[in-house]
Amino acid sequence: MGLISNGTTIFDAGALDSGVAKGAMTLIKTITISSDTATVSFIHGTSDVVFDSTYKEYVFKYINCHPASDDQKLVFQATTNGSNFNTTVTNTYFLAQHTEADNSNPFTYSTGDDQAQGTAFQRLNESTGADADQSISGYLCIFEPSSTTFVKHYSSRSSSIFDQASDVYGSGYFNTTSAITGIQFKFDGASIGSGSISLYGIN
Amino acid sequence: MGLISNGTTLLDAGAIDSGVATGALTLISTSTASSSASLSITSGIDSTYKEYIFKFINIHPATNNKELTFNLSIDGGSNYNVTKTTAVHIHQHGEDGSNGNSEYSTERDLAQGTGYQKICKDLGNGNDESLSGTLHLFEPSSTTFVKHFITRTSSYFGSDRAVDMYVAGYGNTTTAVNAIDFKMSSGNIDSGIIKMYGIK
């Protein structure tokens, strides 16, 4: 049974009708990590994940991801075939840091953390501590991953703690004209002990 | 009475059922300044959302060259004094082409400080001068983790400059944060709007 008001279908077939304005940002999937997990993957068509031409922009929000051991970098990579996360990437990486003891590292471009046509997992932050209250939060935007014409631009910003505040920015492109069909996250040297990562589509 | 379509509950108990896909960004409150000493938001910050976004729309100070600041509370707004460590960087460019530069701002960061965090630089109070921008606050209700936040603001520097300022850091507490306060470093907020959104 549908619901029609003033000639407009509001609900039909168990959902809000597509003609009803419901906000441009849609939560697609949240993965909550509650025990040590090596990787977190969002693959189109798997476990209710949508990551295709449905949206022009996708946003991942990683909230309080906590590593199983100290001094870990949250990293990510893209796949074009759903199984291999090794897409060529060229990017920029810069950061500002400030310790709890009031030592600030100058606003810095970090040549050691960027990639030039690399295929490695890309860092999203400098270091995440494993103390009980330490974590990383932030977001990663990926633009039109389904394009078969253009490279795939992305941008990220992360706040993390390792007895210092780190404000880390990444931006660049996956240098492929194949559609990207998934993204994988992990810490570079330890499991993800806890946290959540949510995927949103932007109309 | 509920409304069920195709076996799926759509409406129940006076609201759209939680299983129905709706927008992920929810406007929770709008605070409007009118010669206000501060704008305090003391309700709606809880475990409902993992992320809260505050949008600053044309914040206009009563006094020239003052800075919009914020602080967090763990007691519903009785005290705004959460310990914070932050990193701050600024990028600016003058209308006359001068002062195009980037810098880390040691005078605006905090190292385990409990004072208000500045989120712009010397905001002008000319009639057309203001600040707009965004603050993200992650999982304020957590009783396990520190409270990460990130801001970015575009402001009109009192000496006719565009200023793009970034702050990131954390409230170094494992007690839930449940209120936030915004005020100028001195003087009132003459006008402006702060909207608070929750992200599913």
Side-chain angles (χ1 to χ4, degrees):
Chain A
M1 184 186 80
L3 174 65
I4 298 172
S5 173
N6 219 25
T8 300
T9 300
I10 306 298
F11 292 105
D12 194 23
L16 272 174
D17 189 79
S18 59
V20 176
K22 56 185 179 184
M25 183 177 187
T26 300
L27 175 61
I28 297 170
K29 186 176 182 63
T30 295
I31 296 177
T32 301
I33 305 105
S34 53
S35 61
D36 285 359
T37 301
T39 62
V40 173
S41 301
F42 293 81
I43 309 293
H44 176 69
T46 302
S47 302
D48 300 322
V49 169
V50 175
F51 197 73
D52 62 2
S53 62
T54 303
Y55 300 98
K56 288 278 192 180
E57 179 186 355
Y58 289 84
V59 179
F60 294 90
K61 304 266 191 180
Y62 33 95
I63 297 183
N64 283 330
C65 289
H66 175 78
S69 64
D70 234 358
D71 195 7
Q72 297 298 316
K73 290 80 176 170
L74 189 66
V75 298
F76 79 104
Q77 244 292 4
T79 181
T80 58
N81 62 12
S83 56
N84 297 309
F85 293 89
N86 57 358
T87 305
T88 300
V89 62
T90 295
N91 53 27
T92 63
Y93 184 101
F94 60 94
L95 68 153
Q97 293 177 300
H98 187 216
T99 70
E100 294 180 0
D102 202 16
N103 299 306
S104 58
N105 294 328
F107 179 70
T108 306
Y109 184 91
S110 179
T111 55
D113 296 317
D114 60 9
Q115 295 194 62
Q117 297 294 86
T119 58
F121 276 69
Q122 176 58 41
R123 288 183 181 183
L124 289 164
N125 74 315
E126 278 300 283
S127 298
T128 315
D131 290 357
D133 64 348
Q134 297 181 337
S135 61
I136 170 176
S137 295
Y139 59 82
L140 166 69
C141 305
I142 297 186
F143 300 93
E144 203 174 8
S146 67
S147 174
T148 54
T149 302
F150 297 109
V151 301
K152 313 303 182 296
H153 292 284
Y154 79 89
S155 63
S156 67
R157 187 178 180 189
S158 305
S159 174
S160 58
I161 170 173
F162 187 43
D163 296 332
Q164 63 180 345
S166 290
D167 187 7
V168 175
Y169 302 77
S171 178
Y173 52 87
F174 290 101
N175 199 356
T176 178
T177 54
S178 297
I180 285 177
T181 58
I183 298 292
Q184 185 175 85
F185 297 88
K186 62 182 181 180
F187 279 114
D188 61 347
S191 297
I192 305 174
S194 62
S196 68
I197 304 178
S198 296
L199 171 63
Y200 303 84
I202 309 292
N203 281 329
Chain B
M1 186 185 80
L3 173 66
I4 299 172
S5 171
N6 244 22
T8 300
T9 299
L10 301 177
L11 298 174
D12 194 22
I16 294 176
D17 189 78
S18 60
V20 176
T22 57
L25 181 71
T26 300
L27 175 62
I28 300 169
S29 67
T30 299
S31 304
T32 302
S34 178
S35 299
S36 305
S38 65
L39 290 178
S40 303
I41 301 173
T42 58
S43 64
I45 301 175
D46 53 28
S47 61
T48 305
Y49 300 98
K50 286 266 193 174
E51 178 186 357
Y52 290 81
I53 297 179
F54 301 86
K55 299 274 188 181
F56 315 116
I57 312 295
N58 283 329
I59 301 295
H60 179 76
T63 308
N64 200 32
N65 291 333
K66 300 304 176 188
E67 296 167 313
L68 185 64
T69 67
F70 81 97
N71 212 330
L72 305 170
S73 172
I74 58 172
D75 56 14
S78 296
N79 297 284
Y80 291 100
N81 57 1
V82 170
T83 300
K84 295 173 291 300
T85 295
T86 60
V88 179
H89 54 99
I90 294 172
H91 314 266
Q92 54 190 346
H93 188 218
E95 292 182 2
D96 60 0
S98 67
N99 293 296
N101 59 58
S102 298
E103 65 182 18
Y104 183 90
S105 181
T106 54
E107 62 186 290
R108 292 178 180 82
D109 63 12
L110 295 172
Q112 298 296 84
T114 58
Y116 278 66
Q117 174 63 52
K118 295 176 177 177
I119 55 177
C120 71
K121 175 182 178 180
D122 297 348
L123 178 58
N125 78 334
N127 286 342
D128 62 349
E129 298 172 359
S130 63
L131 167 150
S132 293
T134 305
L135 183 156
H136 300 252
L137 177 63
F138 296 96
E139 203 173 12
S141 67
S142 173
T143 54
T144 302
F145 296 109
V146 301
K147 310 303 181 296
H148 291 285
F149 54 80
I150 54 180
T151 79
R152 183 181 185 183
T153 57
S154 174
S155 61
Y156 195 109
F157 182 73
S159 300
D160 303 335
R161 263 180 239 166
V163 175
D164 185 6
M165 180 160 150
Y166 299 73
V167 180
Y170 48 87
N172 199 354
T173 177
T174 54
T175 304
V177 164
N178 52 18
I180 188 167
D181 187 49
F182 299 93
K183 65 180 184 181
M184 304 307 302
S185 52
S186 176
N188 288 341
I189 305 175
D190 194 43
S191 62
I193 293 170
I194 299 178
K195 289 178 174 284
M196 180 172 77
Y197 301 85
I199 306 288
K200 272 186 192 171

